[in-house]
C-alpha cells in the first residue's frame, strides 16, 4: 500500500508539472505575441507617424515636479499641437518619457512612468523612480506608449514557484487544483437575511462553511457583488482577515467601495492613476495621512525636493566648488528620502495590519507590503475573466479561497490564437467549478431585465434555472413598446467593410439604419438610459463619429462588449456588423460575448444584423428563432 500511495503521489506531481509547464508555454507565446504587436505598432513608425496616430507626444516641455498630499512625485509637461480626441493613450497606462538630446552613452535617455492625466495642453505622469534625470530641463522631450512586461514577469514568477514546495495551505490548494481532493465543510449554517434571496443566502452559507474552497456562480444581474459584500462582512465578524482581488481595477474599486459602505476598515492598494478618484479615502496614502508621523514624512520629502532643486541649479556650472556642493546636496537628498521611506514603511505596516479587508488587483497582490501578511480568506472576483497564472500570484497568500464569476460571460483577454489554442483562455474558475460542483452555488434570481430579454440566456447558458425577480417582470419602456426589436438587413446589400490598417470591421449602412430607429425612439422616452454595443472596435468608432453630429444621439454611450461588462441600461442596441455571402461571422463566434451584450438591457433590446449571414451558426440560428417568436421583427427596407 505504501508503495502504491507513493506512486500515486509521483503520478499526481508529474501531472501537475505537465499542466504548469503547459501554462508557462502558453503564457510565453502570448507575451511574445504582444511584444511583436507592440513593436509593429511603435518601432516601424517614425516619431511623426506615432504622434499622428495618437500613441506618442512630441515635443513636450517640462513644467514642474511636485509632491501630492499622498507624497507621490508628479511631473507635469506642457503639450504642443495636441488634439485631445486623437490620442490612444489612457490614464493608468505605462509610458516612457524620452529625450532626443545628445547624452553620454552610459546615461539612459528615457524612464518609465504611469500616465496620471491628459488635459488640453498638459500631461501629468507619476515616475516609477524618484531619481529624476537632469536632462528633463534640456528640451527635446517626448512621451511614448510603453509595453510593460511587469504583469508577465509576476505571472511567470508565480508559475515557477508552483514547481517548488510551498506552505501547507498552498500545497493543499495545488492538490485541489491539479488532482481531485475531498473538500471539507463545517456543520451547515443557515443564513437568513430578508434583503437577500434564497440562492444568495445559500451562497453565503457555502462561503462560511467551506474549509478550503467555495465558488459563487453569478449570471447577469443576479447580485453577485451584493452577495460577496455580505459574505465578506460575515467573515470579518468571525475574525477573518480578508484579501479581495479582481482581474480589473474597476471591479476592485466597486468591491472596495461596497465593503467600506458596510463600515469595514478597507484599504485599496494600487497605483493612484488606476484607482477611481472617488475612492481616494480608501487608498493606502489616505490612510497613512491619518497617522501621527505622517506630517514628518511629508516634511522630509519636501526638504529633499527643495534641496534637489537647489542642487540642480549648479548643473551647468563647471566650477569645482559648485560641483562639490551639488554632490553633497544630492547626498543629503538621498539621506532625507531614505529616512522618509523608513518612516513610511512602519506606518504602512501598521495601517495594513489594522485593516479588515485589503483590496487590490491580482497583479497588485504582489505588493511587497503584503509579503509579511497572511490572510484567512482570499476572495477573487471576476475569476472567470482572470488568466490562471494571474490567480496564482494571490493564491499563496491565504488558507481559504473564494472564487466568484460567470464562465458564460466574458473570458480572459488572450490576443494570440496559438496561446488560446494552448489553453491560456481556460480559467481556474472554469476548471474548479466543473471539478467541484459541491463547492458551487449559482445565484438564480436576476434583478435587471424583463424576462423576455433574459429568457434566451437562461435557456442556452443556465439550463433554464435563471428566473426574473418580481420587481422586473413588468420592466418596459411603455405599454405598447416591444421588449425586443430585431432589424434584419438580409437582402439589402449592406455588406461589411474591413479597415485594412486595424483589420476590424464596420458597417456604415447598418449604423445609418440604427441611428434612424433610435432618433425616432428616444424622444418618446427622454428619461431612458441607453447604450449601443458592437463587437467590432471599428464599428464603435464609426458610430461614435456619426452620433457626435446628431443632437439626439450624441449623449449615447457607444462601446465594445468588453466596455459594457458589468453595466446595464434601460435600452441597449447591438450592431452585429457582419454581412457577407460566405456566412463568415468571425468574432461573433464567441457566444459568451453575445451573452454579455444581450443581457445589458433592462427594458428594451434592439439588434440590427444580417440574418442570412449569422444563421449559419447554430447559436444564432436558435437566437433568430427565439426572436421570430418573441420580438418585433423589422427589415432594413422599412427604413429606406
Amino acid at each position: 500500500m505504501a508503495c502504491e500511495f507513493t506512486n500515486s503521489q509521483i503520478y499526481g506531481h508529474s501531472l501537475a508539472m505537465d499542466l504548469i509547464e503547459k501554462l508557462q508555454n502558453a503564457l510565453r507565446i502570448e507575451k511574445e505575441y504582444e511584444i511583436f504587436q507592440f513593436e509593429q505598432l511603435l518601432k516601424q513608425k517614425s516619431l511623426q507617424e506615432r504622434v499622428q496616430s495618437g500613441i506618442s507626444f512630441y515635443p513636450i516641455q517640462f513644467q514642474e515636479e511636485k509632491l501630492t498630499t499622498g507624497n507621490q512625485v508628479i511631473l507635469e509637461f506642457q503639450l504642443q499641437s495636441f488634439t485631445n480626441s486623437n490620442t490612444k493613450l489612457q490614464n493608468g497606462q505605462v509610458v516612457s518619457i524620452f529625450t532626443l538630446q545628445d547624452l553620454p552613452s552610459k546615461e539612459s535617455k528615457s524612464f518609465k512612468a504611469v500616465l496620471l492625466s491628459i488635459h488640453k495642453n498638459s500631461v501629468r505622469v507619476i515616475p516609477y523612480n524618484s531619481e529624476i534625470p537632469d536632462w528633463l530641463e534640456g528640451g527635446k522631450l517626448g512621451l511614448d506608449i510603453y509595453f510593460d512586461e511587469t504583469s508577465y514577469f509576476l505571472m511567470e514568477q508565480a508559475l515557477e514557484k508552483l514547481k517548488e514546495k510551498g506552505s501547507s495551505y498552498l500545497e493543499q490548494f495545488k492538490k485541489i487544483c491539479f488532482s481531485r481532493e475531498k473538500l471539507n465543510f463545517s456543520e451547515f449554517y443557515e443564513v437568513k437575511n430578508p434583503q437577500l434571496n434564497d440562492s444568495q443566502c445559500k451562497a453565503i452559507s457555502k462561503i462560511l462553511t467551506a474549509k478550503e474552497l467555495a465558488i459563487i456562480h453569478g449570471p447577469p444581474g443576479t447580485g453577485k457583488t451584493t452577495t460577496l459584500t455580505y459574505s465578506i462582512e460575515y467573515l470579518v465578524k468571525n475574525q477573518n482577515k480578508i484579501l479581495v482581488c479582481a482581474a480589473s481595477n474597476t471591479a476592485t474599486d466597486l468591491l472596495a467601495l461596497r465593503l467600506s459602505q458596510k463600515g469595514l476598515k478597507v484599504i485599496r492598494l494600487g497605483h493612484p492613476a488606476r484607482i477611481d478618484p472617488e475612492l481616494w479615502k480608501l487608498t493606502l496614502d489616505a490612510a497613512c495621512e491619518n497617522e501621527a508621523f505622517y506630517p514628518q514624512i511629508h516634511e522630509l520629502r519636501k526638504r529633499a525636493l527643495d534641496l534637489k532643486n537647489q542642487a540642480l541649479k549648479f548643473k551647468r556650472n563647471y566650477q569645482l566648488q559648485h560641483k562639490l556642493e551639488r554632490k553633497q546636496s544630492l547626498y543629503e537628498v538621498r539621506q532625507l528620502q531614505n529616512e522618509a521611506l523608513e518612516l513610511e514603511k512602519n506606518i504602512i505596516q501598521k495601517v495594513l495590519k489594522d485593516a479588515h479587508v485589503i483590496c487590490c488587483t491580482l497583479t497588485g497582490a504582489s505588493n511587497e507590503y503584503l509579503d509579511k501578511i497572511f490572510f484567512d480568506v482570499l476572495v477573487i472576483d471576476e475569476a472567470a475573466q482572470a488568466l490562471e497564472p494571474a490567480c496564482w500570484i494571490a493564491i499563496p497568500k491565504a488558507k481559504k479561497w473564494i472564487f466568484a464569476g460567470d464562465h458564460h460571460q466574458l473570458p480572459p483577454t488572450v490576443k494570440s490564437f496559438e496561446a488560446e489554442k494552448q489553453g491560456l483562455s481556460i480559467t481556474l474558475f472554469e476548471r474548479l467549478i466543473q471539478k467541484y460542483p459541491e463547492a458551487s452555488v449559482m445565484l438564480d434570481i436576476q434583478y435587471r431585465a424583463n424576462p423576455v430579454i433574459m429568457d434566451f440566456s437562461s435557456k442556452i447558458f443556465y439550463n433554464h434555472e435563471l428566473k426574473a425577480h418580481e420587481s422586473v417582470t413588468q420592466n418596459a419602456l411603455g405599454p405598447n413598446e416591444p421588449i425586443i426589436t430585431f432589424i434584419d438587413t438580409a437582402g439589402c446589400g449592406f455588406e461589411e467593410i474591413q479597415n485594412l490598417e486595424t483589420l476590424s470591421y464596420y458597417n456604415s449602412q447598418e449604423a445609418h439604419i440604427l441611428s434612424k430607429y433610435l432618433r425616432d425612439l428616444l424622444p418618446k422616452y427622454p428619461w431612458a438610459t441607453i447604450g449601443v454595443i458592437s463587437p467590432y472596435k471599428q464599428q464603435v468608432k464609426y458610430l461614435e463619429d456619426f452620433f457626435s453630429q446628431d443632437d439626439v444621439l450624441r449623449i449615447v454611450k457607444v462601446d465594445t462588449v468588453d466596455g459594457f461588462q458589468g453595466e446595464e441600461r434601460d435600452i441597449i442596441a447591438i450592431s452585429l456588423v457582419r454581412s457577407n455571402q460566405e456566412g463568415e461571422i468571425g468574432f461573433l463566434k464567441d457566444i459568451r460575448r453575445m451573452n454579455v451584450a444581450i443581457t445589458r438591457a433592462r427594458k428594451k433590446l434592439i439588434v440590427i444584423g444580417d440574418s442570412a449571414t449569422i444563421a449559419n451558426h447554430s447559436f444564432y440560428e436558435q437566437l433568430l428563432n427565439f426572436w421570430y417568436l418573441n420580438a418585433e421583427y423589422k427589415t432594413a427596407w422599412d427604413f429606406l
Side-chain angles (χ1 to χ4, degrees), residues 523-577:
K524 299 178 191 174
Y525 311 103
W527 46 265
T529 57
I530 178 167
V532 175
I533 299 175
S534 179
Y536 290 92
K537 289 182 179 178
Q538 201 62 42
Q539 182 75 342
V540 168
K541 186 178 186 309
Y542 188 90
L543 284 164
E544 284 177 332
D545 293 343
F546 189 58
F547 284 7
S548 68
Q549 302 166 36
D550 189 298
D551 289 338
V552 175
L553 301 178
R554 65 176 46 161
I555 62 165
V556 175
K557 177 183 173 179
V558 185
D559 212 332
T560 59
V561 181
D562 297 58
F564 269 97
Q565 169 75 347
E567 295 194 26
E568 56 188 64
R569 297 288 190 278
D570 292 325
I571 304 167
I572 285 289
I574 304 171
S575 174
L576 297 179
V577 176

Coordinates of all heavy atoms in Angstrom, one line a residue, residues 523-577:
P523 N -36.9 60.3 -28.3 CA -37.7 61.4 -27.9 C -39.0 61.0 -27.1 O -39.6 61.7 -26.3 CB -38.1 62.2 -29.2 CG -37.0 61.8 -30.1 CD -36.6 60.4 -29.8
K524 N -39.5 59.7 -27.4 CA -40.6 59.2 -26.7 C -40.3 58.9 -25.3 O -41.2 58.9 -24.4 CB -41.1 57.9 -27.4 CG -41.5 58.1 -28.9 CD -42.0 56.7 -29.4 CE -42.1 56.7 -30.9 NZ -42.4 55.4 -31.4
Y525 N -39.1 58.6 -25.0 CA -38.7 58.1 -23.6 C -37.4 58.9 -23.2 O -36.3 58.3 -23.0 CB -38.4 56.6 -23.6 CG -39.5 55.8 -24.2 CD1 -39.4 55.3 -25.5 CD2 -40.7 55.6 -23.6 CE1 -40.4 54.5 -26.1 CE2 -41.8 54.9 -24.2 CZ -41.6 54.3 -25.4 OH -42.6 53.6 -26.0
P526 N -37.5 60.2 -23.0 CA -36.3 61.0 -22.7 C -35.7 60.7 -21.4 O -34.5 61.0 -21.2 CB -36.9 62.5 -22.7 CG -38.4 62.3 -22.4 CD -38.8 61.0 -23.1
W527 N -36.4 60.0 -20.5 CA -35.8 59.6 -19.2 C -35.0 58.3 -19.3 O -34.2 58.0 -18.4 CB -37.0 59.3 -18.2 CG -38.0 58.5 -18.8 CD1 -39.2 58.9 -19.4 CD2 -38.1 57.1 -18.9 NE1 -40.0 57.9 -19.9 CE2 -39.3 56.7 -19.6 CE3 -37.2 56.0 -18.5 CZ2 -39.7 55.4 -19.8 CZ3 -37.6 54.7 -18.7 CH2 -38.8 54.4 -19.4
A528 N -35.1 57.6 -20.4 CA -34.4 56.3 -20.5 C -32.9 56.4 -20.7 O -32.4 57.2 -21.5 CB -35.0 55.5 -21.6
T529 N -32.2 55.5 -20.0 CA -30.7 55.4 -20.3 C -30.5 54.5 -21.5 O -31.3 53.6 -21.7 CB -30.0 54.9 -19.1 OG1 -30.5 53.6 -18.7 CG2 -30.1 55.9 -17.9
I530 N -29.4 54.8 -22.2 CA -29.2 54.0 -23.5 C -27.8 53.7 -23.7 O -26.9 54.6 -23.4 CB -29.9 54.7 -24.7 CG1 -29.6 53.9 -26.0 CG2 -29.4 56.1 -24.8 CD1 -30.4 54.3 -27.2
G531 N -27.5 52.5 -24.2 CA -26.1 52.2 -24.7 C -26.2 51.5 -26.0 O -27.1 50.8 -26.3
V532 N -25.1 51.7 -26.8 CA -25.0 51.0 -28.1 C -23.8 50.1 -28.1 O -22.7 50.7 -27.8 CB -25.0 52.0 -29.3 CG1 -24.8 51.2 -30.6 CG2 -26.3 52.7 -29.3
I533 N -23.9 48.9 -28.4 CA -22.8 47.9 -28.3 C -22.5 47.4 -29.7 O -23.4 47.1 -30.5 CB -23.1 46.7 -27.4 CG1 -23.4 47.2 -26.0 CG2 -22.0 45.7 -27.4 CD1 -23.9 46.1 -25.0
S534 N -21.2 47.2 -30.0 CA -20.8 46.4 -31.2 C -19.6 45.6 -30.8 O -18.7 46.1 -30.1 CB -20.5 47.3 -32.4 OG -20.1 46.5 -33.5
P535 N -19.6 44.4 -31.3 CA -18.4 43.5 -31.0 C -17.1 44.1 -31.7 O -16.0 43.6 -31.5 CB -18.8 42.2 -31.6 CG -20.2 42.2 -31.7 CD -20.6 43.6 -32.0
Y536 N -17.3 45.0 -32.7 CA -16.2 45.4 -33.5 C -15.8 46.9 -33.2 O -16.6 47.8 -33.3 CB -16.5 45.3 -35.0 CG -16.5 43.8 -35.4 CD1 -17.7 43.1 -35.4 CD2 -15.4 43.2 -35.8 CE1 -17.8 41.8 -35.7 CE2 -15.4 41.8 -36.1 CZ -16.6 41.1 -36.1 OH -16.6 39.8 -36.4
K537 N -14.5 47.1 -32.9 CA -14.0 48.4 -32.5 C -14.2 49.4 -33.6 O -14.4 50.6 -33.4 CB -12.5 48.3 -32.1 CG -12.3 47.6 -30.8 CD -10.8 47.6 -30.4 CE -10.6 47.0 -29.1 NZ -9.2 46.9 -28.7
Q538 N -14.0 49.0 -34.9 CA -14.2 49.9 -36.0 C -15.6 50.4 -36.1 O -15.8 51.6 -36.4 CB -13.7 49.2 -37.3 CG -13.3 50.2 -38.4 CD -12.1 51.1 -38.0 OE1 -11.2 50.6 -37.4 NE2 -12.2 52.4 -38.3
Q539 N -16.6 49.6 -35.8 CA -18.0 50.0 -35.8 C -18.2 50.9 -34.7 O -19.0 51.9 -34.8 CB -18.9 48.8 -35.8 CG -20.4 49.1 -35.8 CD -20.9 49.5 -37.2 OE1 -20.1 49.9 -38.1 NE2 -22.2 49.5 -37.4
V540 N -17.6 50.7 -33.5 CA -17.8 51.6 -32.4 C -17.3 53.0 -32.7 O -17.9 54.0 -32.5 CB -17.0 51.0 -31.1 CG1 -16.9 52.1 -30.0 CG2 -17.7 49.8 -30.6
K541 N -16.1 53.0 -33.4 CA -15.5 54.3 -33.8 C -16.4 55.0 -34.8 O -16.7 56.2 -34.7 CB -14.1 54.1 -34.4 CG -13.4 55.4 -34.7 CD -12.0 55.2 -35.2 CE -11.3 56.5 -35.4 NZ -12.0 57.5 -36.2
Y542 N -16.9 54.2 -35.8 CA -17.8 54.8 -36.8 C -19.1 55.4 -36.2 O -19.5 56.5 -36.5 CB -18.2 53.8 -37.8 CG -18.9 54.4 -39.0 CD1 -18.2 54.8 -40.2 CD2 -20.3 54.5 -39.0 CE1 -18.9 55.4 -41.2 CE2 -21.0 55.0 -40.1 CZ -20.3 55.5 -41.2 OH -20.9 56.0 -42.3
L543 N -19.7 54.6 -35.3 CA -20.9 55.1 -34.6 C -20.7 56.3 -33.7 O -21.5 57.2 -33.7 CB -21.5 53.9 -33.7 CG -22.2 52.8 -34.5 CD1 -22.4 51.6 -33.6 CD2 -23.6 53.2 -35.0
E544 N -19.6 56.3 -33.0 CA -19.2 57.5 -32.2 C -19.1 58.7 -33.0 O -19.7 59.8 -32.7 CB -17.9 57.2 -31.4 CG -18.1 56.3 -30.2 CD -16.7 56.0 -29.5 OE1 -15.7 56.1 -30.2 OE2 -16.7 55.7 -28.3
D545 N -18.4 58.6 -34.1 CA -18.2 59.8 -35.0 C -19.6 60.2 -35.6 O -19.9 61.4 -35.7 CB -17.2 59.5 -36.1 CG -15.8 59.3 -35.6 OD1 -15.5 59.7 -34.5 OD2 -15.0 58.7 -36.4
F546 N -20.4 59.2 -36.0 CA -21.6 59.5 -36.6 C -22.6 60.1 -35.6 O -23.3 61.1 -35.9 CB -22.2 58.2 -37.2 CG -23.4 58.4 -38.1 CD1 -23.4 59.2 -39.2 CD2 -24.6 57.7 -37.8 CE1 -24.5 59.3 -40.0 CE2 -25.7 57.9 -38.6 CZ -25.7 58.7 -39.7
F547 N -22.7 59.6 -34.4 CA -23.6 60.1 -33.4 C -23.2 61.4 -32.9 O -24.1 62.2 -32.5 CB -23.7 59.1 -32.2 CG -24.5 57.8 -32.5 CD1 -25.0 57.5 -33.7 CD2 -24.7 56.9 -31.4 CE1 -25.7 56.4 -34.0 CE2 -25.5 55.8 -31.7 CZ -25.9 55.5 -32.9
S548 N -21.9 61.7 -32.9 CA -21.5 63.0 -32.4 C -22.0 64.2 -33.2 O -22.0 65.3 -32.7 CB -19.9 63.1 -32.4 OG -19.4 63.1 -33.7
Q549 N -22.5 63.9 -34.4 CA -23.0 65.0 -35.2 C -24.5 65.2 -35.1 O -25.1 66.0 -35.8 CB -22.7 64.7 -36.7 CG -21.2 64.6 -37.0 CD -20.9 63.9 -38.3 OE1 -21.6 64.2 -39.3 NE2 -19.9 63.1 -38.4
D550 N -25.1 64.4 -34.2 CA -26.6 64.4 -34.0 C -26.9 64.8 -32.6 O -26.5 64.3 -31.6 CB -27.1 63.0 -34.3 CG -28.6 62.9 -34.4 OD1 -29.3 63.2 -33.3 OD2 -29.1 62.5 -35.4
D551 N -27.8 65.9 -32.5 CA -28.1 66.4 -31.2 C -28.8 65.4 -30.3 O -28.7 65.4 -29.1 CB -29.0 67.6 -31.3 CG -28.3 68.8 -31.9 OD1 -27.0 68.8 -31.8 OD2 -28.9 69.7 -32.5
V552 N -29.6 64.5 -30.9 CA -30.3 63.5 -30.1 C -29.4 62.4 -29.6 O -29.5 61.9 -28.5 CB -31.5 62.9 -30.9 CG1 -32.2 61.8 -30.1 CG2 -32.5 64.0 -31.2
L553 N -28.5 61.9 -30.5 CA -27.7 60.7 -30.3 C -26.4 61.0 -29.6 O -25.7 60.0 -29.2 CB -27.5 60.0 -31.6 CG -28.8 59.5 -32.3 CD1 -28.5 58.9 -33.6 CD2 -29.6 58.6 -31.4
R554 N -25.9 62.2 -29.6 CA -24.6 62.4 -29.0 C -24.4 62.1 -27.6 O -23.3 61.9 -27.1 CB -24.1 63.9 -29.3 CG -24.9 64.9 -28.5 CD -24.4 66.3 -28.7 NE -24.1 66.6 -30.1 CZ -24.0 67.8 -30.7 NH1 -24.1 68.9 -29.9 NH2 -23.7 68.0 -31.9
I555 N -25.5 62.0 -26.8 CA -25.4 61.6 -25.4 C -25.3 60.1 -25.2 O -25.0 59.6 -24.1 CB -26.7 62.0 -24.7 CG1 -27.9 61.4 -25.2 CG2 -26.8 63.6 -24.7 CD1 -29.2 61.5 -24.4
V556 N -25.5 59.3 -26.3 CA -25.5 57.8 -26.2 C -24.0 57.3 -26.0 O -23.1 57.7 -26.8 CB -26.1 57.2 -27.5 CG1 -26.0 55.7 -27.4 CG2 -27.5 57.7 -27.6
K557 N -23.9 56.4 -25.1 CA -22.6 55.7 -24.9 C -22.5 54.6 -25.9 O -23.4 53.7 -26.0 CB -22.4 55.2 -23.5 CG -21.1 54.4 -23.3 CD -20.9 53.8 -22.0 CE -19.6 52.9 -22.0 NZ -19.3 52.2 -20.7
V558 N -21.4 54.6 -26.7 CA -21.1 53.5 -27.6 C -19.8 52.8 -27.2 O -18.8 53.5 -27.0 CB -21.0 54.1 -29.1 CG1 -20.8 52.9 -30.1 CG2 -22.2 55.0 -29.5
D559 N -19.9 51.5 -27.2 CA -18.6 50.8 -26.8 C -18.7 49.4 -27.2 O -19.7 48.9 -27.7 CB -18.5 50.9 -25.2 CG -17.0 50.9 -24.8 OD1 -16.1 50.4 -25.6 OD2 -16.7 51.5 -23.7
T560 N -17.6 48.7 -27.0 CA -17.5 47.2 -27.3 C -18.2 46.5 -26.2 O -18.6 47.0 -25.2 CB -16.0 46.8 -27.4 OG1 -15.4 47.1 -26.1 CG2 -15.3 47.5 -28.5
V561 N -18.3 45.2 -26.4 CA -18.9 44.3 -25.4 C -18.1 44.4 -24.1 O -18.7 44.5 -23.0 CB -19.0 42.8 -25.9 CG1 -19.6 41.9 -24.8 CG2 -19.7 42.7 -27.2
D562 N -16.8 44.4 -24.2 CA -15.9 44.4 -23.1 C -16.2 45.7 -22.3 O -16.1 45.8 -21.1 CB -14.5 44.3 -23.5 CG -14.1 43.0 -24.1 OD1 -14.8 42.7 -25.1 OD2 -13.2 42.3 -23.6
G563 N -16.4 46.8 -23.0 CA -16.6 48.1 -22.4 C -17.9 48.2 -21.6 O -18.0 49.1 -20.7
F564 N -18.9 47.3 -21.9 CA -20.1 47.3 -21.2 C -20.2 46.2 -20.2 O -21.3 46.1 -19.5 CB -21.3 47.2 -22.2 CG -21.8 48.5 -22.7 CD1 -21.4 49.0 -23.9 CD2 -22.7 49.2 -22.0 CE1 -21.9 50.2 -24.4 CE2 -23.2 50.4 -22.4 CZ -22.8 50.9 -23.6
Q565 N -19.2 45.5 -20.0 CA -19.2 44.4 -19.0 C -19.5 45.0 -17.6 O -18.9 46.0 -17.2 CB -17.8 43.7 -18.9 CG -17.6 42.8 -17.7 CD -18.4 41.5 -17.9 OE1 -19.3 41.3 -18.7 NE2 -18.1 40.5 -17.0
G566 N -20.4 44.5 -16.9 CA -20.8 45.0 -15.6 C -21.8 46.2 -15.6 O -22.2 46.6 -14.5
E567 N -22.1 46.7 -16.8 CA -23.0 47.8 -16.9 C -24.4 47.4 -17.4 O -24.6 46.2 -17.8 CB -22.4 48.9 -17.8 CG -21.1 49.5 -17.3 CD -20.8 50.7 -18.1 OE1 -21.7 51.4 -18.6 OE2 -19.6 51.1 -18.1
E568 N -25.3 48.3 -17.2 CA -26.7 48.0 -17.7 C -27.3 49.3 -18.1 O -26.9 50.4 -17.7 CB -27.5 47.3 -16.7 CG -27.6 48.0 -15.4 CD -28.3 47.2 -14.3 OE1 -27.8 46.2 -13.9 OE2 -29.4 47.7 -13.8
R569 N -28.4 49.3 -19.0 CA -29.1 50.4 -19.5 C -30.6 50.1 -19.7 O -30.9 48.9 -19.8 CB -28.5 50.9 -20.8 CG -27.1 51.4 -20.8 CD -27.0 52.8 -20.1 NE -25.6 53.3 -20.2 CZ -24.5 53.0 -19.6 NH1 -24.6 52.0 -18.7 NH2 -23.4 53.6 -19.8
D570 N -31.4 51.1 -19.6 CA -32.8 50.8 -20.0 C -33.0 50.2 -21.4 O -33.7 49.3 -21.6 CB -33.7 52.1 -19.8 CG -33.8 52.6 -18.4 OD1 -33.8 51.7 -17.5 OD2 -33.8 53.8 -18.2
I571 N -32.2 50.9 -22.3 CA -32.3 50.5 -23.7 C -30.8 50.1 -24.1 O -29.9 50.8 -23.9 CB -32.7 51.6 -24.6 CG1 -34.1 52.1 -24.2 CG2 -32.8 51.2 -26.1 CD1 -34.5 53.4 -24.8
I572 N -30.7 48.9 -24.7 CA -29.4 48.5 -25.3 C -29.7 48.2 -26.8 O -30.6 47.4 -27.1 CB -28.8 47.3 -24.6 CG1 -28.2 47.7 -23.3 CG2 -27.7 46.6 -25.5 CD1 -27.0 48.5 -23.3
A573 N -28.9 48.8 -27.7 CA -28.9 48.4 -29.1 C -27.6 47.8 -29.5 O -26.5 48.2 -29.0 CB -29.1 49.7 -29.9
I574 N -27.7 46.7 -30.3 CA -26.5 46.0 -30.7 C -26.4 46.0 -32.2 O -27.3 45.6 -32.9 CB -26.5 44.5 -30.2 CG1 -26.7 44.5 -28.7 CG2 -25.3 43.7 -30.6 CD1 -27.0 43.1 -28.1
S575 N -25.2 46.4 -32.7 CA -24.9 46.3 -34.1 C -24.0 45.2 -34.4 O -22.8 45.2 -34.0 CB -24.3 47.7 -34.5 OG -23.8 47.6 -35.9
L576 N -24.5 44.1 -35.1 CA -23.7 42.9 -35.3 C -22.6 43.0 -36.4 O -21.7 42.2 -36.5 CB -24.6 41.8 -35.6 CG -25.6 41.4 -34.5 CD1 -26.5 40.2 -35.0 CD2 -24.9 41.0 -33.3
V577 N -22.8 43.9 -37.4 CA -21.8 44.3 -38.4 C -21.7 43.3 -39.5 O -21.8 43.6 -40.7 CB -20.4 44.6 -37.8 CG1 -19.4 44.9 -38.9 CG2 -20.5 45.7 -36.8

